[in-house]
């Protein structure tokens, strides 16, 4: 006979607890999240936690995980991520590349996306690099200047 896991062991229940843990504690490693979930009676593996973090839209800000609402900064205010940007480089006519400290690109990209600057068509972030697409050469120039002012580089 095949039985379903108890309702409190479901993926949605695990994600709900994971979000609660991230809201209430400074956690920066998936292994720590796995252990905290297990202590609360939720079977978890590193791969299930990784999927849950993706599903919840969790970002890494500095050395801790944050939920999307906490990761978004007020428009045009970047105090929490300012120190992570190391270079701002124009590339071609419609692209600006930001270099960041390792592990910080996603947090900086979230701040840029939340600012909703008209020059920005979209961002793609890796571990230490962000590609920011613009709609024109003029928008790229304006964005390049705005980024220099914002990040003090």
């Amino acid at each position: 006979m095949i039985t379903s896991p108890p309702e409190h062991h479901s993926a949605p229940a695990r994600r709900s607890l994971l979000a609660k843990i991230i809201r209430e504690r400074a956690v920066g490693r998936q292994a720590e999240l796995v252990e905290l979930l297990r202590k609360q009676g939720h079977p978890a593996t590193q791969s299930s936690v990784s999927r849950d973090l993706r599903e919840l839209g969790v970002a890494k800000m500095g050395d801790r995980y944050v939920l999307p609402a906490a990761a978004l900064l007020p428009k045009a205010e970047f105090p929490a991520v300012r120190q992570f940007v190391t270079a701002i480089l124009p590339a071609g006519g419609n692209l600006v590349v930001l270099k960041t400290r390792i592990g910080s690109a996603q947090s900086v990209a979230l701040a840029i996306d939340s600012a909703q600057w008209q020059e920005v068509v979209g961002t793609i972030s890796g571990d230490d690099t962000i590609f920011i697409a613009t709609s024109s050469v003029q928008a790229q120039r304006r964005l390049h200047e705005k980024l220099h002012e914002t990040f003090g580089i």
Side-chain angles (χ1 to χ4, degrees), residues 93-96 117-121 132-147:
N94 294 75
L95 191 64
V96 177
W117 288 335
Q118 65 183 13
E119 297 88 356
V120 177
V121 173
I132 307 171
T134 62
S135 59
S136 67
V137 173
Q138 294 80 16
Q140 181 210 39
R141 287 186 191 128
R142 287 192 309 272
L143 178 63
H144 191 257
E145 290 172 17
K146 191 178 282 189
L147 290 167

Side-chain angles (χ1 to χ4, degrees), residues 44-94:
T45 63
Q46 187 276 327
S47 62
S48 66
V49 166
S50 180
R51 279 191 306 274
D52 291 343
L53 292 174
R54 252 190 332 271
E55 190 72 28
L56 289 168
V58 170
K60 195 100 182 241
M61 186 157 294
D63 62 351
R64 68 178 288 185
Y65 290 109
V66 292
L67 294 168
L72 297 178
L73 303 172
K75 287 185 180 181
E77 292 188 27
F78 296 85
V81 295
R82 185 180 181 131
Q83 75 270 11
F84 299 133
V85 177
T86 59
I88 303 166
L89 310 162
N94 294 75

